[in-house]
């Protein structure tokens, strides 16, 4: 899915002028891509129609960068298609609230049961009871019990001989007695959907009448995930989907189709094996991911509107022959600042939210003011060649800028590091050929 979309996007991205024919071709590709991904044809039809309408409309045609504007439209519509932020969990009028976890074997039901319990306690101050209703494999019961121990939460189990319906009923009775406000039932899965499994799940369902039925789906299984979601939803009236293993390198076409096919919201995303690696599902981020470029697009867009092409070429040349000076640095900084608040920009770098410390790195606006002041206190010669810097020069600069010498030193070091990095980057770029640098 992503490949196809990306191709058509690459085609239209750089266009200074977008004609109706361009839009037609792009939407044709998008349509095929979505159909290939098993998205319901009616959904696709609507989607394409909306994109088309907007793409030939004023917002695109009158913008300065129509090619990019079209992509923005596609992204917004993709986001819409996957629904808004849906991470709410039902609360029963009379506790306990019962959540039933269903899905194929290996999808991540048991792990997600633990994660969800952790989430409910941590973020909602709840006190869940975990229920081991997968009686076919002793290991499955042990697994849940281990999670319960790790979380220091109660687990209801009755071994492998008991009937899952009885287990569920007794667990709910115990929860009432012990004032557990949530009951999360971990059920059995199979490698494939079969009638026995569905029969058992339906029986549990009609007995406990759950407030939520969460379908756990492995995002790595791609389009299979969509078929699985469809059959589970038909039989059990799923209330929400948890998409697991999104930490893997899946592009997430499944996410798009699941919502479109089942019309059930994707509520959470599993981002790893650990118990705290469950996140609310963000359709917007997913749309970026499907488009395959994080928010880099926006970032480039912003950069392009601030740095004109001649400047960019000049800068690249300077990076290449290492004649980049502190004056250039100062100018660059000014441009970056014109783009908008720094943390917002950093937020657009894919994966940046995962790089802890980056947020608190020395990048707040105040620090930038200091850096500017320091550079401005340098002479032209110093800015062109910081290697002439000695102790007395540093002292003078520190005094002139109202900062101290250690800050001057830090800046010089940062500048040096940056130059080194530029050298590496331009070398790499030379090797990989044009367009290699950004990723
Ligand atoms: P179940 O058969 O549906 O109960 O699946 P499990 O909960 O036992 O999970 C199957 C495997 O997937 C285990 O090795 C889990 O650690 C792993 N797993 C579950 N969720 C995630 C996730 O979000 N990311 C990753 N990387 N692994 C996961
Ligand atoms: Mg399990």
């Amino acid at each position: 899915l992503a490949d196809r979309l990306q191709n058509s996007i690459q085609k239209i991205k750089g266009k200074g002028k977008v004609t109706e024919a361009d839009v037609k071709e792009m939407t044709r590709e998008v349509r095929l891509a979505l159909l290939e991904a098993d998205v319901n044809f009616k959904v696709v039809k609507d989607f394409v129609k909306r994109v088309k309408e907007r793409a030939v409309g004023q917002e695109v045609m009158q913008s300065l960068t129509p090619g990019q504007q079209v992509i923005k439209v596609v992204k917004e519509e993709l986001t819409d298609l996957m629904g808004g932020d849906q991470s709410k969990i039902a609360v029963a009028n009379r506790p306990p609230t019962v959540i039933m976890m269903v899905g194929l074997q290996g999808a991540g039901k048991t792990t997600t049961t633990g994660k969800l319990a952790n989430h409910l306690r941590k973020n909602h101050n709840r006190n869940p009871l975990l229920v081991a209703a997968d009686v076919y494999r002793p290991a499955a019961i042990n697994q849940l019990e281990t999670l319960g121990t790790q979380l220091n939460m109660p687990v209801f189990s009755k071994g492998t001989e008991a009937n899952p319906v009885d287990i569920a009923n007794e667990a709910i009775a115990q929860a009432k007695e012990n004032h557990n406000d949530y009951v999360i039932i971990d059920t059995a899965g199979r490698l494939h959907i079969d009638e026995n499994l569905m029969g058992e799940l339906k029986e549990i369902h009609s007995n406990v009448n759950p407030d939520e039925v969460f379908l756990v789906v492995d995002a790595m299984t791609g389009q299979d995930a969509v078929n699985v979601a469809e059959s589970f939803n038909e039989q059990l009236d799923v209330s929400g989907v948890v998409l697991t293993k999104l930490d893997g390198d899946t592009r997430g076409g499944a996410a798009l189709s699941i919502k479109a096919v089942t019309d059930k919201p994707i509520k959470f995303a599993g981002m790893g094996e650990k118990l705290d690696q469950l996140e609310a599902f963000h359709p917007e981020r997913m749309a970026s991911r499907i488009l395959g470029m994080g928010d880099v697009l926006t970032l480039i867009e912003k950069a392009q509107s601030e740095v004109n092409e001649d400047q960019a070429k000049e800068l690249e040349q300077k990076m290449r022959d290492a004649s980049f000076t502190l004056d250039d640095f100062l100018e660059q900084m000014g441009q970056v600042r014109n783009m908008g608040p720094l943390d917002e920009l950093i937020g657009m770098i894919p994966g940046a939210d995962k790089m802890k410390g980056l947020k608190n790195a020395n990048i707040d606006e105040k620090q930038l003011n200091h850096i500017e002041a320091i550079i401005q206190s340098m002479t032209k010669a110093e800015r062109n060649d910081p290697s002439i810097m000695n102790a007395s020069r540093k002292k003078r600069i520190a005094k002139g800028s109202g900062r101290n010498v250690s800050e001057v030193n830090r800046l010089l070091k940062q500048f040096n590091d940056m130059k080194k990095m530029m050298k590496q980057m331009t070398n790499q770029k030379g090797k990989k050929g044009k367009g290699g640098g950004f990723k």
Side-chain angles (χ1 to χ4, degrees):
L1 170 67
D3 284 351
R4 188 146 209 164
L5 281 179
Q6 272 194 355
N7 281 342
S8 49
I9 279 160
Q10 285 305 334
K11 260 187 238 157
I12 210 161
K13 189 157 91 184
K15 296 229 168 170
K17 228 188 185 162
V18 177
T19 64
E20 278 205 49
D22 290 333
V23 170
K24 226 179 180 165
E25 196 198 320
M26 190 221 36
T27 46
R28 200 178 63 94
E29 289 289 322
V30 170
R31 199 178 68 101
L32 286 174
L34 294 178
L35 286 174
E36 236 171 47
D38 284 347
V39 178
N40 182 294
F41 79 93
K42 260 165 118 181
V43 178
V44 176
K45 209 169 140 199
D46 283 354
F47 178 83
V48 169
K49 189 166 152 243
R50 277 198 307 276
V51 170
K52 222 182 234 165
E53 265 169 22
R54 289 183 59 188
V56 298
Q58 290 196 350
E59 87 187 284
V60 170
M61 292 308 184
Q62 289 183 4
S63 88
L64 292 171
T65 51
Q68 294 179 5
Q69 202 65 27
V70 171
I71 295 166
K72 198 170 142 245
V73 168
V74 173
K75 188 178 152 187
E76 282 171 11
E77 293 293 336
L78 277 178
T79 305
D80 253 26
L81 198 55
M82 287 183 281
D85 187 343
Q86 304 277 6
S87 65
K88 280 209 172 67
I89 299 180
V91 185
N93 286 332
R94 281 196 310 159
T97 306
V98 178
I99 302 177
M100 188 174 161
M101 309 296 286
V102 301
L104 291 186
Q105 192 170 311
K109 287 179 301 301
T110 307
T111 313
T112 307
T113 301
K115 287 176 175 179
L116 210 52
N118 189 35
H119 166 81
L120 282 167
R121 179 172 62 191
K122 206 163 115 198
N123 302 321
H124 300 281
N125 214 8
R126 301 291 180 171
N127 172 25
L129 172 67
L130 313 183
V131 184
D134 177 357
V135 294
Y136 301 101
R137 295 174 306 153
I141 301 174
N142 292 341
Q143 188 189 354
L144 193 68
E145 279 174 344
T146 307
L147 291 178
T149 311
Q150 274 175 34
L151 289 165
N152 193 18
M153 277 185 196
V155 175
F156 185 94
S157 68
K158 281 189 79 178
T160 53
E161 298 300 313
N163 170 330
V165 176
D166 295 341
I167 294 175
N169 284 331
E170 284 177 41
I172 291 169
Q174 182 188 307
K176 277 180 189 153
E177 223 164 86
N178 294 351
H179 303 291
N180 294 108
D181 45 14
Y182 274 80
V183 171
I184 311 178
I185 306 172
D186 180 29
T187 64
R190 298 280 152 82
L191 288 174
H192 303 283
I193 292 167
D194 65 41
E195 283 188 10
N196 288 339
L197 170 68
M198 282 302 173
E200 176 180 314
L201 294 176
K202 276 198 221 166
E203 212 186 325
I204 301 176
H205 188 283
S206 63
N207 263 276
V208 305
N209 195 17
D211 302 282
E212 297 270 19
V213 179
F214 284 163
L215 173 62
V216 180
V217 184
D218 180 344
M220 305 282 280
T221 58
Q223 291 319 305
D224 271 349
V226 182
N227 302 332
V228 168
E230 206 175 4
S231 4
F232 270 95
N233 188 46
E234 266 167 18
Q235 313 244 9
L236 286 167
D237 194 18
V238 163
S239 63
V241 175
V242 180
L243 211 53
T244 62
K245 308 185 196 178
L246 268 177
D247 49 313
D249 60 1
T250 152
R251 276 265 167 75
L256 195 72
S257 330
I258 284 173
K259 170 68 171 55
V261 169
T262 63
D263 201 28
K264 295 297 159 67
I266 299 171
K267 295 205 167 195
F268 294 95
M271 303 299 293
E273 303 196 15
K274 300 216 184 75
L275 286 170
D276 58 357
Q277 290 175 317
L278 183 76
E279 295 179 1
F281 178 76
H282 296 289
E284 226 219 91
R285 281 188 213 161
M286 203 64 223
S288 305
R289 186 162 165 163
I290 289 168
L291 293 172
M293 45 201 138
D295 285 339
V296 169
L297 209 61
T298 332
L299 192 64
I300 294 172
E301 234 171 62
K302 283 204 172 185
Q304 274 176 347
S305 61
E306 293 300 331
V307 185
N308 70 42
E309 218 159 281
D310 292 344
Q311 277 176 319
K313 279 216 180 89
E314 198 184 322
L315 184 69
E316 198 181 298
Q317 189 53 45
K318 278 178 171 167
M319 280 160 96
R320 198 156 287 164
D321 59 23
S323 64
F324 187 80
T325 67
L326 277 159
D327 261 332
D328 298 322
F329 186 48
L330 197 61
E331 197 183 307
Q332 277 293 296
M333 238 167 63
Q335 279 169 357
V336 169
R337 299 183 81 166
N338 285 339
M339 288 186 221
L342 273 174
D343 31 359
E344 199 182 290
L345 287 174
I346 284 168
M348 290 183 202
I349 302 171
D353 47 341
K354 286 205 188 111
M355 288 186 242
K356 279 208 180 109
L358 194 56
K359 276 248 154 75
N360 338 318
N362 307 328
I363 39 167
D364 58 321
E365 304 280 327
K366 237 198 217 150
Q367 211 103 23
L368 280 190
N369 288 335
H370 296 167
I371 291 174
E372 255 174 26
I374 292 172
I375 299 179
Q376 270 155 0
S377 299
M378 295 176 186
T379 65
K380 194 87 194 148
E382 286 163 348
R383 289 187 213 181
N384 282 333
D385 182 11
S387 69
I388 63 172
M389 213 69 79
N390 56 22
S392 78
R393 282 178 190 266
K394 285 179 188 167
K395 216 184 257 169
R396 192 202 78 243
I397 292 166
K399 208 161 170 207
S401 60
R403 313 308 314 164
N404 54 44
V405 174
S406 65
E407 279 172 279
V408 176
N409 279 329
R410 196 185 322 147
L411 168 62
L412 291 172
K413 182 170 179 315
Q414 278 171 348
F415 177 70
N416 259 331
D417 291 347
M418 188 166 143
K419 263 186 107 158
K420 259 188 234 154
M421 205 172 78
M422 281 179 176
K423 236 182 183 159
Q424 278 170 2
M425 266 164 61
T426 46
N427 284 344
Q428 266 173 16
K429 207 170 175 179
K431 264 184 229 143
K432 275 197 220 151
K434 223 179 145 214
F438 223 113
K439 250 193 186 175

